Amino acid sequence: MDTAYVHGYTDPETRRLGDQADTLAELLHAGTAYPAGSRVLEAGCGVGAQTVHLVARSPGAHLTAVDVSAASLAQARKQVRGVDFRQADLFDLDGEYDHVFVCFVLEHLTEPGKALAHLKTLLRPGGTITVIEGDHGSAFFHPRSEHAQAAIDCLVRLQADAGGDGLIGRRLHPLLTGAGFGDVTVEPRTVYVDASRPGLVAGFTRDTFTAMVEGVGETAVARGLITQDRWDHGVADLHRTAREDGTFHYAFFKATGSRP
């Protein structure tokens, strides 16, 4: 499976993923709970940041969590018990499941439609899939800053150059229908942050989104996508949105579908 994980596998990235999952747990997982005894596959579990919340909301389900990275799985096993963790490429998966959960995975794949089509073959007839993805084009903020937007655009460009898509949230409906899923529905899950929501200021604006953008700075400058001065200005302006008079907006997209 070709992937485009531009964020790397560093300790700071592991912490960022945990911060993101914990901060957004209610927003992203609301409405997702699996019956006791059901067989659930989490495809691309990474360090287990979302697995923790899947187990908490569906304690009686039989959860299998799969990732291609042994290092990520080692982190995941430390986070949560009672899960069947397996190392495997998504396209090598087999078996039959009642439900599939995929979060922040498709954006890193060079062939997301092909991946969804394969995941459909793992579902029993009538089984469901839940897919959650972000869309960096949905980020807007106050104070407005062309430098901050240029820094975000570098992240989108680097991910595209690696074969991924940082704007994939807006594509979920055509991707799922194209893969043959039925009853496809997509809804935005919006994060809006201002000074009245200090938990989100720290947990999302600063420690999730801005940290994610900061993580690609060295590569963006080295590849000539942006100058160091302009990059530093852009990151400083992103941090500026987390101050008392700043605001920040971002939309995730949550899609569900079923195997006919």
Side-chain angles (χ1 to χ4, degrees), residues 16 74 174 186 224 232 234 246 258-259:
R16 187 191 71 80
V186 182
D232 292 341
S258 62
R259 178 177 181 178

Side-chain angles (χ1 to χ4, degrees), residues 42-191:
E42 182 187 8
C45 66
V47 297
Q50 304 299 332
T51 316
V52 173
H53 299 287
L54 287 175
V55 171
R57 290 175 177 269
S58 303
H62 299 302
L63 179 60
T64 299
V66 178
D67 201 85
V68 72
S69 168
S72 294
L73 287 171
Q75 293 286 339
R77 290 187 178 98
K78 295 177 183 177
Q79 293 222 55
V80 59
R81 298 183 182 276
V83 175
D84 180 13
F85 286 106
R86 300 181 186 177
Q87 183 181 3
D89 187 289
L90 186 152
F91 290 108
D92 293 333
L93 296 177
D94 56 16
E96 184 178 72
Y97 298 90
D98 300 303
H99 308 282
V100 172
F101 180 86
V102 188
C103 185
F104 307 147
V105 173
L106 298 184
E107 65 172 305
H108 303 298
L109 303 183
T110 57
E111 297 180 289
K114 183 178 178 181
L116 287 170
H118 179 65
L119 289 172
K120 182 167 66 72
T121 69
L122 306 180
L123 279 170
R124 63 166 174 79
T128 71
I129 188 169
T130 298
V131 181
I132 302 173
E133 293 288 347
D135 189 316
H136 301 337
S138 71
F140 58 82
F141 36 84
H142 173 77
R144 185 172 180 270
S145 164
E146 293 183 1
H147 290 89
Q149 187 58 58
I152 295 169
D153 290 345
C154 286
L155 172 59
V156 174
R157 169 69 182 277
L158 288 171
Q159 197 157 349
D161 288 349
D165 184 3
L167 309 175
I168 202 168
R170 67 190 72 180
R171 295 174 56 199
L172 290 188
H173 193 278
L175 281 170
L176 283 161
T177 55
F181 286 97
D183 303 317
V184 176
T185 61
V186 182
E187 61 174 300
R189 298 285 177 101
T190 300
V191 183

